[in-house]
Amino acid sequence: MTWQILVASANPAKIRAVEQCFQVNFPEQAITVRGISVPSGVAEQPLSSEETYAGAKNRLMALKQQGAADFYVAIEAGLDGEMTFAWMLIEHQGKLGKARSASLMLPKAALQALEQGQELGDVMDELFGTRNIKQAGGAIGLLTQNRLSRSGVYQQALTLALIPFLNPDWF
């Protein structure tokens, strides 16, 4: 039986991270991954860990209204002080797995623009002369000179959020 995995986003980087994560962690399992854009219920650019988590939780709840799936996945990026990161939430049969991605420092110019209400992807495009970077390597790619990608860092955090499902006897 093929697992149906719904992702609370239409962003190709997020969908790719989910697909790669499940392929690596469940290599024998056939999967279908589909992204659906759903509202976060928080600001476009969450400015705290709490607000970012609330956005991920809201997306997860909205996603579950979109149809049946074996796994529901929500990823919400935001700020925590001078750092950017993302919350990962994975739900399967009523059980919740969660993790935070690695955090990365942002340039002062980016932080100032974010305080003015701009979204990180737009700010990074403006500062680095890129176009729609949030659907590619993201700020992570730009600031690490493409040594890391948004999708890769998300995949790592998604694996951490899978811990309850990889170790069901403990969770």
Side-chain angles (χ1 to χ4, degrees):
M1 182 178 99
T2 301
W3 283 351
Q4 301 300 316
I5 302 165
L6 292 182
V7 182
S9 178
N11 184 317
K14 292 180 180 181
I15 296 166
R16 184 170 46 255
V18 171
E19 185 171 42
Q20 290 170 345
C21 174
F22 275 83
Q23 287 172 343
V24 166
N25 286 287
F26 304 100
E28 306 297 318
Q29 179 64 51
I31 62 169
T32 299
V33 179
R34 184 166 58 104
I36 301 173
S37 182
V38 294
S40 70
V42 298
E44 283 292 317
Q45 182 58 69
L47 298 178
S48 70
S49 180
E50 295 78 13
E51 185 180 15
T52 305
Y53 183 84
K57 188 88 169 154
N58 292 343
R59 285 187 195 278
L60 193 66
M61 291 187 323
L63 183 64
K64 289 167 53 178
Q65 305 302 312
Q66 299 298 311
D70 295 291
F71 288 86
Y72 300 93
V73 181
I75 302 171
E76 184 75 13
L79 293 181
D80 192 359
E82 298 177 343
M83 311 288 272
T84 185
F85 76 102
W87 271 107
M88 312 288 151
L89 300 181
I90 301 175
E91 188 173 312
H92 172 65
Q93 297 178 345
K95 186 184 290 187
L96 182 66
K98 58 186 174 179
R100 279 181 55 144
S101 72
S103 300
L104 60 140
M105 295 173 59
L106 293 173
K108 285 194 186 304
L111 291 169
Q112 290 168 343
L114 295 174
E115 288 172 5
Q116 301 302 315
Q118 293 185 48
E119 190 177 351
L120 181 58
D122 298 334
V123 170
M124 297 308 285
D125 281 341
E126 189 175 309
L127 292 176
F128 284 81
T130 54
R131 187 165 185 259
N132 204 14
I133 196 63
K134 69 182 178 182
Q135 292 194 356
I140 294 165
L142 290 173
L143 294 171
T144 64
Q145 299 176 350
N146 293 313
R147 289 178 177 89
L148 297 175
S149 70
R150 183 181 195 193
S151 186
V153 170
Y154 283 3
Q155 182 182 340
Q156 180 186 54
L158 286 161
T159 297
L160 295 173
L162 278 175
I163 286 174
F165 313 110
L166 296 171
N167 302 278
D169 292 342
W170 291 97
F171 292 87

